Amino acid sequence: MSDQPETEVTVHAGATTGSTRAVKAVIPAAGLATRFLPATKAVPKELLPVVDRPVLQYIVEEATAAGIRDVLLITGRGKTSMVDHFDRRPDLEARLEEKGDDARLAAVRGPSELADIFTCRQHEQLGLGHAVGCAQSHVGDEPFAVLLGDEFVKPSEPLLPAMLELQARTGGVVLAFFEVPPAETKRYGIASVAPTDGEFADLGDVVEVTGLVEKPAPEEAPSNLAVLGRYVLPGRIFEAIGRTEPGAGGEIQLTDAMELLRAEGVPVHAIVYRGTRYDTGMPLGYLQTVVQIAAERDDLGAEFRAWLAEFVASDSPGGAQ
Ligand code: UTP
């Protein structure tokens, strides 16, 4: 593991038509997580458990399932425990081994075997664009994936492999969108899009991105396609981040850096994802995630579903006992 200082942003030409497939992932996880306070005062939201694994483990598993073995966590103050989760615990492992508890032993070792985990500290929370910029010295000129630390998709309905392939074909910026009810556009970044001519039909519903608007009112929204927390970016994004002035909220926005590239002719495409997305960044989405994943677990799903059905059917606010 390495802890690199934030680096000066230097100019890299980068490729606009590439054939290199991204092999590294960056997980920005230095944010303050204000929507989940006070839980996130001392515990990073990335470590909140979904049943018995922290959110971050699902995210790293999503990256490794797409063939990525090099993962850079952008961390901040009070977030070092995130890295510990991917380290070995010899004391705990020895105790479980003594007891012959093979299942728990495998569960404890699993995270440390998933990927090579690197870390980089974002010293000040200056925005998502700035956080991604911190990855420059680790990533270099190559394309890379960005996975936000509070959402993930159902493993049986993957998104990242098609995004990686699309980026390797276009050499540009690749985003992912999901459809939201029109009344909810003001909670998300919303895209304006144009159809593609079917060139990428084998990769799903691929659209060309013609613009992005932050949290528009429904009557002003150009579509109901919201930005999902997965990006595959060319290395030249770093140079664009270096030129990006603070935007919404006084933060250096990744959206603004991508927009600079788009205005300069870099292709920007997106895949419209229609699978299951879990958003754990605030209490309601987190609860929905826990319930869905618990209900589908082989070990406790049946019992949990039976209890849940009884609880929901019961009239008393305290629910079934
Ligand atoms: P969010 O907009 O979700 O912000 O950031 P947040 O701080 O995590 O949560 P709220 O909105 O205050 O509740 C999107 C992603 O970018 C990271 C966050 O950790 C999250 O994964 N981020 C954001 C950084 O790493 N650094 C920043 O300066 C800002």
Side-chain angles (χ1 to χ4, degrees), residues 22-27 68 143-147 160 164 231-233:
V23 293
K24 294 183 180 179
V26 174
I27 304 182
I68 288 175
F144 63 104
V146 173
L147 294 85
L160 207 49
L164 294 171
Y231 309 78
V232 186
L233 302 170

Side-chain angles (χ1 to χ4, degrees), residues 28-35 45-46 122 125-128 131 148-150:
L32 298 174
T34 55
R35 287 171 297 163
K45 70 173 167 182
E46 296 80 9
Q122 185 190 25
Q125 278 60 55
L126 298 179
L128 175 59
L148 297 195
D150 58 6

Side-chain angles (χ1 to χ4, degrees), residues 7-216:
T7 50
E8 284 288 308
V9 176
T10 50
V11 177
H12 293 278
T16 52
T17 51
S19 56
T20 320
R21 198 181 165 99
V23 293
K24 294 183 180 179
V26 174
I27 304 182
L32 298 174
T34 55
R35 287 171 297 163
F36 223 132
L37 284 168
T40 47
K41 191 176 165 192
V43 178
K45 70 173 167 182
E46 296 80 9
L47 287 187
L48 294 175
V50 173
V51 187
D52 54 7
R53 280 183 270 169
V55 170
L56 189 57
Q57 187 175 332
Y58 292 89
I59 293 169
V60 173
E61 285 171 354
E62 187 178 319
T64 58
I68 288 175
R69 291 279 173 278
D70 180 312
V71 176
L72 176 69
L73 296 178
I74 310 292
T75 70
R77 240 180 317 283
K79 298 240 179 179
T80 43
S81 50
M82 285 193 314
V83 188
D84 292 341
H85 182 71
F86 296 93
D87 200 355
R88 294 288 299 268
R89 266 292 299 271
D91 56 331
L92 193 54
E93 291 173 26
R95 183 65 63 88
L96 293 168
E97 224 162 356
E98 259 169 44
K99 286 168 60 178
D101 192 341
D102 293 339
R104 288 202 176 86
L105 184 61
V108 165
R109 278 195 186 143
S112 65
E113 291 163 356
L114 280 174
D116 291 331
I117 305 284
F118 301 87
T119 70
C120 173
R121 193 92 168 212
Q122 185 190 25
H123 300 295
E124 277 185 280
Q125 278 60 55
L126 298 179
L128 175 59
H130 181 266
V132 171
C134 295
Q136 183 177 18
S137 62
H138 183 83
V139 169
D141 287 341
E142 300 301 319
F144 63 104
V146 173
L147 294 85
L148 297 195
D150 58 6
E151 61 180 287
F152 56 98
V153 305
K154 195 172 191 166
S156 58
E157 298 164 5
L159 165 65
L160 207 49
M163 292 181 73
L164 294 171
E165 176 59 25
L166 180 58
Q167 201 283 333
R169 289 192 206 170
T170 67
V173 169
V174 172
L175 309 178
F177 300 146
F178 63 103
E179 291 174 299
V180 296
E184 289 180 19
T185 55
K186 55 185 173 303
R187 286 172 45 196
Y188 302 98
I190 300 291
S192 51
V193 299
T196 50
D197 57 10
E199 189 188 347
F200 306 116
D202 59 317
L203 299 177
D205 186 359
V206 176
V207 290
E208 191 188 336
V209 181
T210 54
L212 293 169
V213 195
E214 260 316 304
K215 304 185 173 68

